[in-house]
Amino acid sequence: MLLLIANHVQRLWDSWNIRGLIILSLFLQSFLVLFAPLRNERGGEWIIMIPLWIAYLLADWVATFTIGLMLRAEGSDILALWAPFLLLHLGGPDTITSFSLEDNEFWIRHLLGLILQVGSTLYVILHSLPDNKLWLPTLLVLIAGVIKYAERNRAFYLASFDHFGNSWAYLSAAETTATAPIPVQFGQLHRFWGVMLWRSCWPIIHVAVCRVGALKSFLVGPPMTKGEQRGLSYSITGIDSHNMLRIIEIQFSLLYELLHTKLPVVDSKIGYICRTVNFGCILGALVSFSILLKK
């Protein structure tokens, strides 16, 4: 009886192992996309942190393990298409790249993982040639997967302690132009709803972004000079305690985005170009796959 059950489970695993793991990987990525932003707002609650932590760890393991199974499987057109699809999963969602600061320090290990996984994916694709009729969508998904995985590694690199200053480069212009005090008239945030709500919030956001470099000096240095300290004190003169707390809240939120998301990678000229190419490859793969299915 036990032998029959074992044989049935073995046949079920042989038939559904790759397909089931791909579905599981897709579910984990969807979960991270939807619930990772809650960590910034309610990060202290265990009911949010524990599922996110489990999903974050399982997401990479499932995708890596599935690619390993593909290396042992017989080559096929659809299998070669699934392999680069998993590279997109290894790239992770934009809402979370690292779970803790220590994850960012292992960017070299993640870079090695990128090289190994891309090599494994290329092996699966080459194993399906020259009879692969889906080579065009497979190639396009491969390009998109490599870009997305490289973005994640770049985010690890910029958020590591030794290179954290580089992730603030796109804020330097705002900080250098913010030497003078900002004339702010803080209004009631609830009035006029819609447009006026954003206008009343904008001065707070502007002050928070222009002065966010002060937080950097406390974390990675170099410390602010006396002139910078006087300029900072002068620029926030006249702001009441309530709005000052809101400014600090926005600054720490931005700090979280720089350390644990793809914000410093995406919000750059190279990031915009990569996202355009990525979107074009995914769209082209979808169109070409649909056309090939109709033939």
Side-chain angles (χ1 to χ4, degrees), residues 143-290:
I143 296 173
V146 172
I147 291 175
K148 193 170 181 62
Y149 202 174
E151 283 181 348
R152 187 184 184 191
N153 281 269
R154 177 68 175 170
F156 284 130
Y157 172 81
L158 292 178
S160 62
F161 186 79
D162 294 335
H163 309 93
F164 183 57
N166 296 335
S167 61
W168 299 75
Y170 71 96
L171 293 175
S172 59
E175 293 180 10
T176 54
T177 57
T179 55
I182 302 174
V184 179
Q185 297 295 329
F186 294 101
Q188 297 295 325
L189 300 182
H190 62 272
R191 64 178 179 177
F192 294 107
W193 303 90
V195 176
M196 290 306 297
L197 176 64
W198 168 250
R199 289 180 181 177
S200 60
C201 292
W202 170 247
I204 300 177
I205 299 174
H206 182 59
V207 173
V209 173
C210 289
R211 302 299 184 260
V212 74
L215 289 178
K216 171 192 167 185
S217 63
F218 290 112
L219 292 175
V220 296
M224 289 187 298
T225 63
K226 292 183 179 180
E228 291 173 338
Q229 293 176 2
R230 287 194 297 269
L232 178 63
S233 300
Y234 184 48
S235 64
I236 60 178
T237 302
I239 302 178
D240 57 54
S241 59
H242 173 72
N243 287 312
M244 180 58 67
L245 290 175
R246 298 198 63 192
I247 290 172
I248 295 173
E249 179 184 2
I250 294 172
Q251 288 178 331
F252 276 106
S253 178
L254 179 58
L255 184 64
Y256 169 85
E257 299 289 334
L258 291 171
L259 288 171
H260 299 292
T261 70
K262 293 183 180 179
L263 175 64
V265 177
V266 176
D267 194 12
S268 62
K269 291 182 180 179
I270 297 178
Y272 297 146
I273 294 173
C274 290
R275 281 305 165 98
T276 303
V277 174
N278 197 311
F279 178 77
C281 288
I282 294 297
L283 184 61
L286 179 62
V287 173
S288 61
F289 184 76
S290 302

Side-chain angles (χ1 to χ4, degrees), residues 84-103:
F85 182 72
L86 288 170
L87 286 181
L88 290 171
H89 289 187
L90 287 171
D94 296 345
T95 52
I96 180 171
T97 54
S98 61
F99 196 83
S100 64
L101 294 177
E102 289 76 11
D103 294 332

Side-chain angles (χ1 to χ4, degrees), residues 38-39 41-52 99:
L38 297 178
R39 182 187 173 203
E41 302 174 5
R42 304 167 61 182
E45 299 182 11
W46 65 270
I47 197 171
I48 298 220
M49 294 295 290
I50 292 180
L52 277 178
F99 196 83

Side-chain angles (χ1 to χ4, degrees), residues 60-81:
D60 287 349
W61 180 85
V62 169
T64 303
F65 182 69
T66 307
I67 293 178
L69 289 177
M70 290 180 179
L71 293 175
R72 301 174 55 186
E74 297 182 0
S76 64
D77 295 357
I78 193 65
L79 197 66
L81 180 61

